[in-house]
Amino acid sequence: MPQNLLSTKDVTRADFEVLCEQAEALRQNPNEPAQIDTTQQGGLLFFESSTRTRIGFETAAWKLGIKTVSIYETKHNDTMSAAESLPDTIRTLNPYVSFFCIRHSDEDVFNQVLPYTSHPVVNCGNGAQEHPTQALIDGYTILNRFGSMDGLNITLTGALRHSRAARSLLALLSNFEGVKVSGFAEPTLDFSEEDVRRFVKNGNEYQHVTSPDWGSTQVIYSAGFPPKTPSGEYSQTVRDTYKITREIADELGDGIIMNPLPRIDEIDPDVDDTPQAHYFQQNENGLYMRMAVVSRYCLKT
Ligand code: CP
């Protein structure tokens, strides 16, 4: 039954495991024809720039035999005094498509969208709030490497409070047991108390750290420094303090280094050819997880 995917908080452990199984089956047999009605059509509405999520959903849909239409900006030309409203855009496209994948800078975007469509809607990033499909990709990457997320030691670093990818991953991890998360971030950029409170259950632990023990870390998740935040830009000193270097990769041993991409300067390019670097594998996993998301949430079979 198609349904919305608006928040990682709505994804149960069972949902996640089914999606990972489906993604893995698609990885093994990407060209196996799916039993779906290919007359369905996706509307990809990206009101904020995106490379991976937009192209990822477009490619995922096409591989499933589903056509897509896209818009990349709010319609606004010289004859208009302001951009078209979001409700009007949704009402215009609603008869043309059978599901929507939407990215918008406004955290409240889905309250404006849902009254005007009964089609499934996938959240592809709403401000600093959520990026649930990125969390699914990240969880799938961790599961592929370690077989389970229970009991892992994970260090998240960067502007955690403002990173929708980091916040959604923490929400996904709350479904697991005995996970130890260390937040390596400026105190003002650490997760909010509310985000931490939601995660700390099932024996999960959260600690703020200033000097991580890389040797006991299994996953480094470098979330980077999103450019648009209430606190503005970050100093080079802050960026350098949380940069992942080759020395850290060496200390990590069998652990992995992840990043939702785009990577700016938060991971030194010297790390790219180490066995710990997993961010391009993580990106490739996105194709199969997005195929699973389109199949499961968006399409009538
Ligand atoms: N990780 C991610 O969301 O990348 P894009 O902004 O390129 O979609």
Side-chain angles (χ1 to χ4, degrees):
M1 177 76 177
Q3 58 184 311
N4 298 331
L5 174 53
L6 301 181
S7 169
T8 318
K9 299 174 195 96
D10 300 332
V11 178
T12 66
R13 180 174 179 146
D15 294 333
F16 170 70
E17 287 172 353
V18 167
L19 283 163
C20 287
E21 277 172 27
Q22 198 166 351
E24 193 53 32
L26 288 160
R27 177 206 298 285
Q28 306 288 341
N29 293 301
N31 297 317
E32 190 165 296
Q35 303 296 312
I36 53 177
D37 168 4
T38 53
T39 62
Q40 297 168 89
Q41 183 154 309
L44 310 183
L45 278 52
F46 281 74
F47 300 97
E48 253 190 355
S49 69
S50 166
T51 300
R52 280 140 288 271
T53 313
R54 181 171 64 80
I55 302 294
F57 271 109
E58 193 162 335
T59 309
W62 290 3
K63 278 189 168 285
L64 292 165
I66 299 294
K67 294 186 179 64
T68 57
V69 291
S70 306
I71 57 174
Y72 309 133
E73 58 186 12
T74 312
K75 178 68 180 159
H76 186 187
N77 64 33
D78 291 346
T79 64
M80 301 164 71
S81 55
E84 180 177 77
S85 73
L86 187 56
D88 280 4
T89 303
I90 298 296
R91 291 167 92 173
T92 301
L93 296 181
N94 195 58
Y96 304 164
V97 303
S98 48
F99 66 91
F100 287 106
C101 297
I102 300 179
R103 171 174 290 187
H104 202 287
S105 58
D106 185 349
E107 296 184 1
D108 191 44
V109 59
F110 299 109
N111 285 330
Q112 299 172 54
V113 165
L114 295 184
Y116 299 101
T117 183
S118 55
H119 297 324
V121 178
V122 175
N123 180 357
C124 293
N126 58 328
Q129 193 74 26
E130 280 266 14
H131 196 348
T133 66
Q134 183 66 53
L136 292 170
I137 293 161
D138 299 342
Y140 173 44
T141 301
I142 296 171
L143 203 70
N144 266 358
R145 171 66 182 80
F146 294 102
S148 169
M149 301 234 272
D150 292 323
L152 290 179
N153 284 344
I154 300 176
T155 298
L156 287 102
T157 184
L160 303 176
R161 182 175 290 257
H162 304 302
S163 164
R164 58 192 175 205
R167 298 182 68 217
S168 288
L169 178 58
L170 192 70
L172 182 69
L173 289 168
S174 72
N175 287 311
F176 296 85
E177 294 177 10
V179 182
K180 292 188 176 57
V181 169
S182 300
F184 178 43
E186 293 292 288
T188 55
L189 299 178
D190 200 355
F191 288 115
S192 69
E193 281 180 22
E194 191 186 342
D195 284 341
V196 171
R197 200 168 37 245
R198 218 179 282 118
F199 165 71
V200 180
K201 58 182 186 187
N202 307 328
N204 293 338
E205 293 172 24
Y206 186 84
Q207 59 171 349
H208 177 84
V209 296
T210 51
S211 179
D213 175 8
W214 299 121
S216 67
T217 297
Q218 286 148 310
V219 178
I220 296 176
Y221 191 93
S222 173
F225 293 89
K228 288 184 204 157
T229 72
S231 48
E233 299 204 346
Y234 307 98
S235 72
Q236 197 57 48
T237 309
V238 168
R239 301 187 82 101
D240 290 346
T241 302
Y242 301 98
K243 181 178 282 194
I244 305 302
T245 60
R246 184 146 191 146
E247 290 69 36
I248 293 173
D250 290 343
E251 276 189 64
L252 204 58
D254 290 338
I256 61 173
I257 298 167
M258 299 175 61
N259 180 283
L261 301 177
R263 177 256 308 265
I264 310 302
D265 60 356
E266 63 271 25
I267 300 177
D268 198 305
D270 276 357
V271 175
D272 294 359
D273 63 358
T274 67
Q276 290 80 17
H278 258 57
Y279 24 97
F280 290 109
Q281 178 65 53
Q282 178 185 354
N283 168 68
E284 187 183 333
N285 290 343
L287 174 60
Y288 307 111
M289 180 52 82
R290 289 194 174 103
M291 288 174 78
V293 166
V294 171
S295 303
R296 194 157 185 83
Y297 284 89
C298 304
L299 299 181
K300 294 191 250 350
T301 50

